[in-house]
Amino acid sequence: MSLFDSIDEDRLPKHVAIIMDGNGRWAKARGKGRSFGHQEGVVSVRKIVEAVSRLGLKYLTVYTFSTENWNRPQAEVQTLMSLLVTAIHRETPDLMKNNVRLMAVGNLERLPQEAYQTLQQCIEETSSNTGTTLVLALSYSARWEITHALQQIAREILDGKITPNDITEAVVSDYLTTKGIPDPDLLIRTGGEKRISNFLLWQLSYAEFYFTDMYWPDFREEELYEAILYYQDRERRFGKTSEQLIL
């Protein structure tokens, strides 16, 4: 029996975020190059998007490429950008079939022109879909995002549009690239590391964290269901006591 049948559909996370780690190590263990691992990682993304859509989750964010990843060897970066273009072209029909809307967050202006245009085309084509929203964190890092938000807020203050006293948590959230996207309820990280690697630092404040040693290319539907069952077993207090939650 699939773990899918054990999930309480009334207690699903609204937003799941995933740090997809381990593509390179997975490939190395098989005597293959890193690009082979990234290609297989795309297959896992497809399977997880399908599973999330089946569950009826509203948002899925995947950490696709960080600002730090630009420092990797140029050949690998070029391979990743080429893979991005190919994957978007190939997956767009399935996104449409599954009623999935695509979004992207990050410093997208750094993307090569072909990657940027392909991404924007898919975002526009899927914009009317009403099922799961798939968010690609591309050329993204949380420190970059927060710094960028502070720069925008500072400009607004200098222009007299807001005052320092107007700045609240909600205002800060509105200047982040994730504006309009609910904060993640569950963060999943594959690959064995137990850190969040500059990912959604502001938004993950109250998320439940699920770490697995499994490399991303091996992470499929049943592993996702296991992570969601872990989430459903957690008591989310948000600063309150257990007794307050019962009342």
Side-chain angles (χ1 to χ4, degrees), residues 45-198:
V45 173
R46 182 190 310 128
K47 296 294 185 182
I48 296 306
V49 170
E50 291 173 352
V52 164
S53 181
R54 179 187 179 195
L55 283 165
L57 302 189
K58 296 307 295 180
Y59 290 88
L60 170 67
T61 296
V62 291
Y63 203 4
T64 310
F65 191 88
S66 73
T67 55
E68 290 83 3
N69 287 153
W70 290 113
N71 297 320
R72 289 189 176 186
Q74 186 177 4
E76 182 174 355
V77 171
Q78 290 175 341
T79 296
L80 287 169
M81 291 297 109
S82 177
L83 181 60
L84 173 65
V85 171
T86 301
I88 292 175
H89 277 305
R90 186 174 58 238
E91 302 302 327
T92 297
D94 280 342
L95 295 180
M96 295 301 297
K97 181 181 70 175
N98 293 317
N99 195 27
V100 175
R101 177 178 62 153
L102 183 69
M103 296 180 65
V105 297
N107 188 4
L108 304 180
E109 295 178 356
R110 291 193 66 180
L111 296 176
Q113 184 177 9
E114 184 182 10
Y116 180 82
Q117 290 178 343
T118 301
L119 175 65
Q120 293 301 324
Q121 182 178 350
C122 184
I123 288 173
E124 182 177 353
E125 187 172 344
T126 63
S127 61
S128 298
N129 291 346
T130 57
T132 299
T133 295
L134 171 62
V135 184
L136 303 183
L138 272 169
S139 186
Y140 173 91
S141 76
R143 287 188 174 185
W144 166 85
E145 178 184 42
I146 293 170
T147 300
H148 183 65
L150 292 175
Q151 290 170 341
Q152 290 181 294
I153 291 172
R155 293 189 191 101
E156 297 283 86
I157 292 174
L158 289 174
D159 291 341
K161 295 179 180 179
I162 61 173
T163 70
N165 290 333
D166 293 326
I167 301 173
T168 63
E169 290 185 11
V171 168
V172 173
S173 293
D174 281 344
Y175 283 87
L176 299 176
T177 61
T178 54
K179 177 182 179 180
I181 300 172
D183 292 342
D185 303 297
L186 171 65
L187 170 72
I188 299 169
R189 178 165 187 155
T190 63
E193 302 293 353
K194 294 180 173 61
R195 55 177 178 264
I196 58 175
S197 298
N198 206 0

